Amino acid sequence: MTSGRETRPDLQGVRALAVVAVMLAHAGFEFVSGGFVGVDMFFVLSGYLITARLCQDLETPGQWSLQAFYARRMQRLLPALLLVIVVTLVFAPLLLGQSQALAQLGSTELALTYTSNLYFAFREVDYFDELAELDLFLHTWSLGVEEQFYLFWPLVLLFLFRTGATKGPSGTPGNAWQRLGKGLFAMLLFGLGFSLYLTSQSTYQGFYLMPSRIWQFALGGCVFLLSCRRPSSMPFLCISARVSVALGWAGLALLIGSVLLLHSRLVYPGLWALLPSLGTALVIWGGSSHPLALLSHPVFVWVGDRSYSLYLWHWPALIFLKSSGREDDLMLVFAVLLLVIALAALSYKYVELPFWKGRWRSRDAKRTLCFTLLVMLLTLCGAGYYRSAFLTVDAQASPSHAWRHDLPQIYAQGCDQRHHSDAVMPCMAGPDDASHRVLIMGDSIALQWYSMVPEIFAAPQWKTLVLTKSSCPMIDKDMFYKKIGKTFEVCSRWRNRILADFERFRADVVIIGSASYDDDPYETDWVDGSARVLEKVAAAAKVVLLVPGTPSLTFDGPGCLEKSLETHGAIMRSDCVSKDRMGYVNRISDYLRQAASRFANVHLLDLNSLVCPGADCYAYSEDGQVVFRDSQHLTDTFVRSRTTAIAEKIKSLLLQNDAPEVASLATALKVTGVTSSPKSESE
């Protein structure tokens, strides 16, 4: 996001393509599923431009100055970032509510110090912390990577250049350039190898850490050394106009193909990052002799000039929209994108340019750096004071905290190891000498129903067993888990271990539940994959109840309800509702029904009419219950309040079975007089 001394309008076109791809992907447009590669384009561009600028300084006597370099970076990048952070801090509690704003402003200080990438790389993955994915400064991770690159890159180039200049009998500049080229190429190769290794071990660290991205910056530097415009008295590799155009178009094709064809279910960066990186390198290299006219178009140049501000503003604006639950409103999405463009144009004109090239630019490097550090320190203190003084809510005492932690007590037993382990660790409740056994298995959507099981299948006649793993659906298919950025192999191993000897659980009734994943897997996976699981379970159990996944909200339920409390003093149901949410759930329920129909003792237990009567899902029920503890999981209080209705559904299904041993189980159920927890305090 910086520039050297040469003017390359086509590079602004690459910036425009990169930032537009990122914005559209984050806005939810599926046709740009690979829009995240825009960041890769920026990294290669930065490597090229910063290497060009530093090498030009190295060849100009008296021009090299680390202080001046760092001062220019701060003047270029910090003012606009500070503006976006301050504005976001002001609007967050107004648009989100106080406790939700506190949760989504968690990386504020790290964004200010260009270290947020370290935070996102090493934070523990919490399956139930949905708000962590809505951090208002998540996008600043790429700025952290670039700033960390800027810290040591000048020293690397200085070492390679000066060492090369003193080598050999002649000590000519040519030796320095050769040494520099070999060094950058070595960093490219070793950096790529390290990135592949780190990504295979931890996708988050491979994605967010600067050492895993250094090869992309080195690639940009290598492209500069291949350019005829590099500052050297030694002739180098030059290409004809025809070859230049061919390289440019080939690179542009790679970039567009990456944006359109890559998707978030790939292990990234990995080898896939070569596509946008090489595409950017080809466009830069080809354009060094003959830039593509398309990328030099004034519209592309205008957007590219403002790409930094566009990148800064787009993420908070879109997160505010997403948090409101209206991200599917296409007109509203376009309105937000237009607002982002307007904000970017204003901040570019009145903040970026004046500090970068205008009247507020200081040429005294030492003074600039000292002033920058002072401003960052004051802003850090101001952000901390603001959050303590104006976001006065006690997170632990807020209503939303209680709603978010309204979980089944079974979680305290630790049988759900989530993504950490494939060990089969059943939890149990009830007497060992019970005459019947009920087993509930699946992912966290299955476990949300747990509290109704020991109430309906009550002791002393029943013993309850629990086998669950969050984000691990009970279908025979390897699943991609977005929270860890790769295939959920732990889930597959865990599921296979359970099914390999399912008879050992001796369950009379098995309740299976999984989330209704809308995008993955496909119909054949749902039908055939579920059937392969049911084949083993149904052979060992008397009856199997297959529970479809519940519909989800388009917003955070507790956050919306708390904001309604802040605004009105009482919960307004109409403020927190997601319309028409049953479409994808009903489709997947039909797939499950097809799978269940292959087995006489498997029945579909559809409870969604209890969750979302009609097609609309409310965060607050008509009878005064908080329904959701996030956007997709039900509160335990709500589940308990529906236990009697669930018991009647289960008994009805058991009585429909022709097998006498199944029908007899219905008499062992507790249907009437089921206890339920008292209503929530918010009624």
Side-chain angles (χ1 to χ4, degrees), residues 177-230:
W177 289 108
Q178 292 173 14
R179 173 85 173 194
L180 183 59
K182 291 177 182 178
L184 292 185
F185 188 67
M187 292 188 68
L188 168 60
L189 293 181
F190 283 107
L192 177 59
F194 178 74
S195 178
L196 295 175
Y197 168 76
L198 188 59
T199 301
S200 69
Q201 300 301 307
S202 170
T203 308
Y204 272 78
Q205 293 177 22
F207 190 86
Y208 288 120
L209 292 182
M210 186 274 292
S212 181
R213 299 289 191 155
I214 193 64
W215 67 272
Q216 294 175 303
F217 296 101
L219 175 61
C222 289
V223 172
F224 168 70
L225 296 180
L226 292 175
S227 168
C228 285
R229 294 187 179 185
R230 71 181 185 86

Side-chain angles (χ1 to χ4, degrees), residues 90-392:
V90 171
F91 279 91
L94 301 177
L95 299 176
L96 300 177
Q98 293 199 24
S99 64
Q100 190 173 349
L102 277 173
Q104 293 181 225
L105 291 169
S107 66
T108 303
E109 288 81 5
L110 299 160
L112 280 165
T113 55
Y114 296 101
T115 55
S116 63
N117 62 314
L118 304 179
Y119 168 71
F120 296 121
F122 292 107
R123 68 179 177 180
E124 177 66 21
V125 176
D126 186 346
Y127 176 73
F128 294 114
D129 188 7
E130 290 184 351
L131 295 182
E133 303 302 319
L134 299 177
D135 192 295
L136 286 160
F137 302 121
L138 176 61
H139 65 315
T140 62
W141 74 268
S142 64
L143 306 182
V145 169
E146 288 209 10
E147 285 298 300
Q148 291 154 29
F149 160 73
Y150 295 150
L151 280 177
F152 87 98
W153 196 247
L155 301 176
V156 170
L157 296 186
L158 180 64
F159 171 78
L160 293 174
F161 194 86
R162 295 271 173 90
T163 305
T166 60
K167 292 285 184 179
S170 63
T172 60
N175 290 332
W177 289 108
Q178 292 173 14
R179 173 85 173 194
L180 183 59
K182 291 177 182 178
L184 292 185
F185 188 67
M187 292 188 68
L188 168 60
L189 293 181
F190 283 107
L192 177 59
F194 178 74
S195 178
L196 295 175
Y197 168 76
L198 188 59
T199 301
S200 69
Q201 300 301 307
S202 170
T203 308
Y204 272 78
Q205 293 177 22
F207 190 86
Y208 288 120
L209 292 182
M210 186 274 292
S212 181
R213 299 289 191 155
I214 193 64
W215 67 272
Q216 294 175 303
F217 296 101
L219 175 61
C222 289
V223 172
F224 168 70
L225 296 180
L226 292 175
S227 168
C228 285
R229 294 187 179 185
R230 71 181 185 86
S232 173
S233 58
M234 176 181 172
F236 203 66
L237 178 63
C238 296
I239 53 179
S240 66
R242 180 176 297 179
V243 174
S244 174
V245 172
L247 288 176
W249 280 111
L252 186 58
L254 276 176
L255 294 182
I256 295 175
S258 299
V259 170
L260 298 180
L261 300 178
L262 297 185
H263 52 78
S264 61
R265 292 188 298 276
L266 297 171
V267 177
Y268 202 87
L271 287 173
W272 292 109
L274 283 169
L275 297 179
S277 301
L278 290 176
T280 306
L282 290 176
V283 170
I284 298 172
W285 187 20
S288 64
S289 297
H290 194 82
L292 291 179
L294 174 63
L295 293 177
S296 301
H297 191 279
V299 173
F300 282 91
V301 173
W302 189 92
V303 175
D305 286 342
R306 292 150 184 82
S307 59
Y308 179 54
S309 281
L310 286 168
Y311 184 79
L312 288 177
W313 285 107
H314 89 282
W315 180 258
L318 290 173
I319 289 301
F320 284 138
L321 176 63
K322 182 178 179 64
S323 299
S324 73
R326 302 181 65 186
E327 59 181 318
D328 294 331
D329 187 332
L330 193 58
M331 294 301 295
L332 196 54
V333 170
F334 279 119
V336 169
L337 291 177
L338 289 175
L339 174 63
V340 167
I341 294 172
L343 291 172
L346 291 172
S347 64
Y348 175 75
K349 180 177 180 180
Y350 295 108
V351 179
E352 277 192 69
L353 280 180
F355 281 100
W356 180 23
K357 297 179 179 180
R359 57 177 177 168
W360 295 334
R361 178 186 180 186
S362 172
R363 298 185 182 275
D364 187 322
K366 182 179 292 186
R367 182 179 300 175
T368 298
L369 291 175
C370 291
F371 182 73
T372 296
L373 292 175
L374 177 61
V375 169
M376 291 177 69
L377 179 61
L378 290 175
T379 308
L380 282 170
C381 295
Y385 173 77
Y386 172 82
R387 290 201 292 179
S388 63
F390 294 95
L391 300 181
T392 56

